[in-house]
Amino acid sequence: MKNYMFLLILLSIALGIFCGVMFPLEMKALAWIGQVFINMLKLIVLPLIFCALVSAIASIGGTKKLGSIGVLTLGYVLLSVSIAVTIGLTLLNLFKPGVGVSAQLILSNATPSDLKPLEFSSFLMSLFPNNIVKAAVQYEIMPIVLFSIVFALASISVGQLARPVIEFFTSLREVLVKMIIWLMYLTPLGLFSLLGAAVAEASLQHLLFQSLRGLLAFIFIFLCGLFLQILWQLLLVSFILRKSPREFFRSSTNALLTAFATSSSMATLPVTMLVAKKQGVNDDVARFVLPLATTINLAGTAMYEAVSALFFCQVLGLDLSIPAQIGVFFAAIVAGMGATGIPEGGLITMVMVLRIVNVPISAIALLLPFDRILDRFRTLTNVWGDIVCASFVDHFQGRLTQHKH
């Protein structure tokens, strides 16, 4: 079915572009189909993010049992994801690929309620609403995220009594993931409508080729960002871990190829475990670090969230202040961590980041044609980061053990 779906998506992209150019007025009339698809996506995202974050953070509860291994893992993950998001935001601020792209590519599928001016003080106030249910109804995602984090931490601190609660939200997350899988079967139809309407709008304004140039530039810059993320970790392997970068990379090839082929860090985990064993990582360290890193060490995904939000802001002519970009920075990190195991995870959780900067969620349509291939590169980067993380933790855990003796 996956092969058929991929072919259907390719066909919907080709038809959407063709019909958008040849029948622009008709495609604009069909824009409501894409809007229904976006609404269905938004319907599932909020409960999914809550359940995904609660289950992901609850899984970290075991770090207390392993002390320094857990601290080293979390420290490395935070460093890695922060560097990834910083690289992405820096590249987008330097090259500004969104400048010159037609804003109608986004606005053609937007609803009036999507369009609000960005005020940082209002954003800060919105993080702490007096009614969490009202915040959910108004689709304010960041308060839900903060509530999810505190809820998960409280569940961990309660201990065994809270296990049924954590298991409930973990199970609910799986149910919502199944709904997302079903929704993804409608992707070709939604993509055809969204892309067709956006191309039609750009074609009517004679801005199509200029917009395509900007979009391809964005993709190239993002891939460069992923390369830089892999590069600094390779330098860490060479200078900090004192291992041959060539041999380390070569021994990781099986896991990286599996990650690229499956687009799933979870599916690649068994291969990643074998790679870690081949590289001499302690079994106890690998068994703990790799499942945890696979859950929360999604640097490539976090970078994607951040650069996409900034790119859309550039397209719309929104000049994000430094504080606003710091908000994007933290939202991208949290969104990346919440994307684990979700089909098209980066695309789903991007909704949260877009809400931070008040970019219409319909902007996702711009990246839908390219997301499948970009997802493979993101997953490859994530799995590479997991392998380096395991070696990093094993190296310093060994030094700590020697120091104690």
Side-chain angles (χ1 to χ4, degrees):
M1 184 65 192
K2 285 184 178 179
N3 291 334
Y4 288 121
M5 182 58 64
F6 185 68
L7 291 174
L8 282 172
I9 286 174
L10 289 179
L11 182 62
S12 69
I13 291 168
L15 281 176
I17 294 171
F18 175 78
C19 293
V21 173
M22 301 302 296
F23 312 105
L25 296 178
E26 289 80 358
M27 286 308 301
K28 287 187 70 176
L30 291 176
W32 65 270
I33 298 174
Q35 192 58 53
V36 169
F37 178 74
I38 290 291
N39 287 347
M40 292 170 71
L41 190 64
K42 290 165 68 176
L43 181 70
I44 300 173
V45 161
L46 199 132
L48 180 60
I49 286 174
F50 179 83
C51 295
L53 285 173
V54 169
S55 57
I57 294 170
S59 69
I60 305 172
T63 57
K64 295 176 183 177
K65 300 174 185 175
L66 292 179
S68 57
I69 297 178
V71 172
L72 285 168
T73 304
L74 291 174
Y76 179 86
V77 167
L78 287 173
L79 175 69
S80 174
V81 176
S82 297
I83 290 175
V85 175
T86 302
I87 288 171
L89 290 176
T90 301
L91 289 175
L92 263 289
N93 278 297
L94 280 175
F95 297 103
K96 301 185 185 302
V99 175
V101 176
S102 172
Q104 287 303 315
L105 285 174
I106 292 175
L107 299 178
S108 62
N109 290 308
T111 57
S113 61
D114 285 328
L115 306 172
K116 302 173 186 175
L118 179 67
E119 295 181 14
F120 187 66
S121 58
S122 300
F123 162 65
L124 285 177
M125 288 293 292
S126 71
L127 295 180
F128 307 98
N130 56 12
N131 188 327
I132 196 68
V133 176
K134 183 180 177 183
V137 170
Q138 293 177 342
Y139 213 75
E140 298 295 336
I141 294 185
M142 275 312 287
I144 306 300
V145 169
L146 288 177
F147 184 80
S148 305
I149 293 170
V150 176
F151 184 90
L153 292 174
S155 299
I156 292 170
S157 67
V158 167
Q160 199 60 35
L161 280 174
R163 287 309 308 169
V165 176
I166 294 170
E167 287 170 5
F168 169 77
F169 285 113
T170 302
S171 300
L172 183 56
R173 172 182 174 274
E174 293 306 310
V175 173
L176 292 167
V177 164
K178 178 60 71 173
M179 292 175 69
I180 287 287
I181 291 171
W182 289 346
L183 180 57
M184 285 301 133
Y185 290 138
L186 299 178
T187 300
L189 183 62
L191 179 54
F192 170 74
S193 172
L194 289 166
L195 189 61
V199 169
E201 192 67 46
S203 180
L204 289 171
Q205 297 190 22
H206 308 292
L207 294 169
L208 185 59
F209 291 108
Q210 181 184 353
S211 300
L212 185 61
R213 258 199 320 272
L215 193 55
L216 292 176
F218 163 75
I219 291 169
F220 178 74
I221 290 168
F222 171 61
L223 293 177
C224 287
L226 293 182
F227 173 75
L228 291 175
Q229 176 71 7
I230 292 171
L231 183 62
W232 79 257
Q233 291 174 319
L234 201 58
L235 292 174
L236 183 145
V237 167
S238 179
F239 293 107
I240 305 297
L241 306 186
R242 301 291 181 183
K243 294 185 178 183
S244 165
R246 181 179 296 178
E247 287 302 317
F248 190 90
F249 193 85
R250 185 180 298 168
S251 64
S252 305
T253 304
N254 282 347
L256 298 180
L257 290 176
T258 305
F260 191 83
T262 62
S263 298
S264 170
S265 301
M266 287 292 186
T268 309
L269 184 57
V271 184
T272 311
M273 298 283 278
L274 290 175
V275 166
K277 188 177 182 68
K278 186 178 178 182
Q279 292 176 347
V281 175
N282 181 280
D283 282 345
D284 288 336
V285 172
R287 276 197 295 266
F288 175 77
V289 172
L290 288 174
L292 178 58
T294 300
T295 304
I296 62 174
N297 186 31
L298 303 179
T301 304
M303 184 191 294
Y304 185 60
E305 313 280 7
V307 297
S308 298
L310 193 52
F311 173 70
F312 293 143
C313 286
Q314 290 173 358
V315 171
L316 292 171
L318 300 175
D319 187 18
L320 286 191
S321 63
I322 297 299
Q325 291 198 35
I326 291 172
V328 171
F329 175 88
F330 287 112
I333 291 173
V334 174
M337 290 180 174
T340 306
I342 302 171
E344 308 294 332
L347 201 64
I348 302 301
T349 53
M350 190 188 296
V351 173
M352 184 177 78
V353 184
L354 295 187
R355 289 294 294 172
I356 297 297
V357 290
N358 292 320
V359 168
I361 294 168
S362 56
I364 291 174
L366 278 186
L367 296 180
L368 269 173
F370 309 97
D371 190 68
R372 284 295 176 106
I373 185 64
L374 292 180
D375 191 31
R376 295 178 188 275
F377 285 104
R378 296 196 302 266
T379 306
L380 184 149
T381 305
N382 293 340
V383 169
W384 166 254
D386 296 342
I387 295 169
V388 176
C389 179
S391 295
F392 174 88
V393 172
D394 184 58
H395 175 80
F396 283 98
Q397 179 64 18
R399 290 179 64 173
L400 286 171
T401 304
Q402 287 176 1
H403 182 70
K404 286 179 182 177
H405 292 304

